[in-house]
Every structure is written in structure tokens, then in C-alpha cells.
Amino acid sequence: MRVTVVSGGVGGARFLRGLLAALGPGDDVTVIGNTADDIWLFGLKVCPDLDTVMYTLGDGIDEDRGWGRRDESWRAKDELAAYGVQPTWFGLGDRDLATHLVRTQMLQAGYSLSAVTAALSRRWLSTLRPAVRLLPMSDDRVETHIVIDDGQGRRAVHFQEYWVRLRAQVPAHEVVVVGQSEATPAPGVLAAVAGCDVLLVPPSNPVVSVGTVLGIPGVRAAVQSTPAPVIGVSPIIGGAAVRGMADQLLQAIGVEVSSAGVAGWYGARTAGGVLDGWLLDTRDAAGAGAVEAAGIRAKAVPLLMRDLEATTAMAQAALDLAGDVAR
Ligand code: GDP
Ligand code: CA
């Protein structure tokens, strides 16, 4: 079975861990990773969501933080701060720095982000079974900016500044994905959507993880026309994002912060949207009727990724629902 997954960082990566456990060793997984969170810092190209997927699946992740390398130290960060170099709010750990150095060196030598990601993945993903291939959504520079109001008038800041420096604590008015409309999908992205047996949308942030991938010209159309069933997993449980800032950003774009609200925003493929099926948490089972009424097959199962067992059951439920809608 060939499964393609559109992924952000922590939510997507944790779901992928369960998916790998639910699949067989001969299956194939292609991950289309969000790169709209990417940022240049201290001359280095940082791709937080790609790295979170690599480190999580390759057993290098810091489990408590959910991002970055395990057993990390921060001596370079302290040295940068001692020079007074900005920004001081984004921590690049010493071990993590090696990834950004390799990536930047290869980009500057003329390799595409796809080629660089494949090279970095060799270390983290090459021994996994099922086999995992990680593709950036695009090789072009695409950056999410959030229009905020921090009391000094409205202005746009990079998504990382909104999330990491401001902790999503200031009002967000608009999400602007700079460079998106001129970007093209990275090599293999459209083929991975068109040629898979199941397409999964994990409980990643709908706005700044999945939405940014779907917004790359050609991707949404490919999702709409793939013969594979498309199944989404709700990132909203009991009317709130489990972690992260999905609540604030859904509000900013005028979408109700509920599982059914997010499903309705993705929309049914039969009605011009991207979904055939949707998993809601059992706590949100009352919303299943509204999802079905929108033309999306709905099923309520526990969706909290508290451990590998629970996450594997979730991924299995998504694969089962794919089988149901394909019938
Ligand atoms: P990020 O790029 O690191 O923010 O990660 P993603 O975009 O892939 O995923 C973030 C989203 O995961 C959050 O907005 C949450 O709504 C969702 N999330 C986190 N933990 C869980 C969980 O245990 N269950 C579910 N259903 N969603 C979760
Ligand atoms: Ca992210």
C-alpha cells in the first residue's frame, strides 16, 4: 500500500509514528512536509516541520518539547546572545545546528531543497520499514506571515515571531502566505498525491501546516482529482487545539474552532473540497451529523495521541475509514 500524508511538525510527526506502526513493512509512505514555517536565521536555512518529521521518525527527537534534538545543549545560542545578535527568541540547539549547517551549505552549492531533504533523510529515515520518503511541499521560498496587532498598530510578522516570540498571545487578524501563489510543487509532490492508495491529512494545523501545502498551485486540484480516498483527522478535540495555536488562527480566518468546523472548511471532495472522510474525537461525536451533512463520511474515535498504542489505533481508524469510503 502506498500512503501519502500531508504533514506539519509535531502533530503530523506524532501521527506518522502511529501510521508506521499500523502499516506493514512492505508498505510505502510519502510525506509532503510543510515548508511555510521555514526561516533564515544567522545565515542558516531552518525548516522546522521537515526536521520535526525527520527527528521524530528517526528517533532523534526531544520527546518533551516535541521538536529539536534529544540531549540538546545551547552553548552556541548563549555565544550568539553574548554578541547581542538578534533574534534571541529562537533557540537553535548545538546538535540541531549541524542539520541547518549541512542544509545551508548544500543549498548554497546549488542543490534544491528537495535534494537537500533527501540527503538529510538518508541519516534519519533510510532504515525505516515501511519505507518513508520526505518531500518538501515546494523548493521555492514560501513564508507564512501573520498580521498582528500588538498595540503599535497592525503589522505582519513571520509566523515564527508570532508563535515563538509572541507565543500567539497577541490578536491575529490575517494569515498571509508570502510567495505561495508563485510557488510550484516540489518534484514528486503531485505524483505522490495522484499515485497513492490512500491520502491522509493528519491532525496538523489546518491553517499554517496543511492549508499552506494545499495552497501551493496545483496541489489542491491534485487532491481533488486523486483516485485515492482522502481522510482527515481532527486537530481539534472538545473545541480546542490540543497544543499549538490552531484555535487563534482558525478564528483569524473566520472558521469555527470545532472538529466539524474544520471539516467543513476543508470541505467534501464531492462539493469542491478535499475530504472523503473525517475522524472526530469521541468527545465531538455530536458533530458527526454536521460533517456527514456536508458530504464527508464521519467516524468518532479517541484522537488523543497520548502514546504509540493510542496513535497507532488512530492511524488504523483512518486507514479503515479509507477502506469504507472507497467501497
Ligand atoms: P506544528 O507544525 O509543530 O505546529 O505541528 P502540526 O501542524 O503538525 O500539528 C499541530 C496541531 O496538532 C495542533 O494544532 C493540534 O491541534 C494538533 N494536535 C497536537 N496533539 C494532538 C493530539 O494528541 N491529538 C490530536 N487530534 N491533535 C493534536
Ligand atoms: Ca509547523
Side-chain angles (χ1 to χ4, degrees), residues 137-186:
M137 65 185 193
S138 175
D139 284 337
D140 302 319
R141 185 168 175 168
V142 177
E143 273 182 18
T144 301
H145 288 224
I146 310 290
V147 178
I148 60 158
D149 194 340
D150 58 359
Q152 299 159 45
R154 284 194 186 194
R155 65 196 172 91
V157 296
H158 191 288
F159 168 75
Q160 298 296 350
E161 184 170 356
Y162 168 72
W163 173 228
V164 181
R165 182 172 81 84
L166 299 166
R167 308 254 164 234
Q169 295 300 307
V170 296
H173 295 289
E174 204 183 328
V175 178
V176 181
V177 189
V178 180
Q180 189 183 44
S181 56
E182 304 85 57
T184 53

Side-chain angles (χ1 to χ4, degrees), residues 7-11 34-38 48-50 52 159-160 163 204-205 208-209 245:
S7 179
V10 181
N34 173 49
T35 57
D37 290 9
D38 293 7
D49 287 359
L50 298 181
T52 298
F159 168 75
Q160 298 296 350
W163 173 228
S204 284
N205 188 307
V208 293
S209 292
M245 72 334 277

Side-chain angles (χ1 to χ4, degrees), residues 22 231 233 279 299 301-303 311-324:
I231 307 296
V233 181
L279 292 181
K299 188 156 199 271
V301 295
L303 290 187
T311 311
T312 305
M314 244 168 91
Q316 187 60 56
L319 295 171
D320 292 346
L321 188 57
D324 291 347

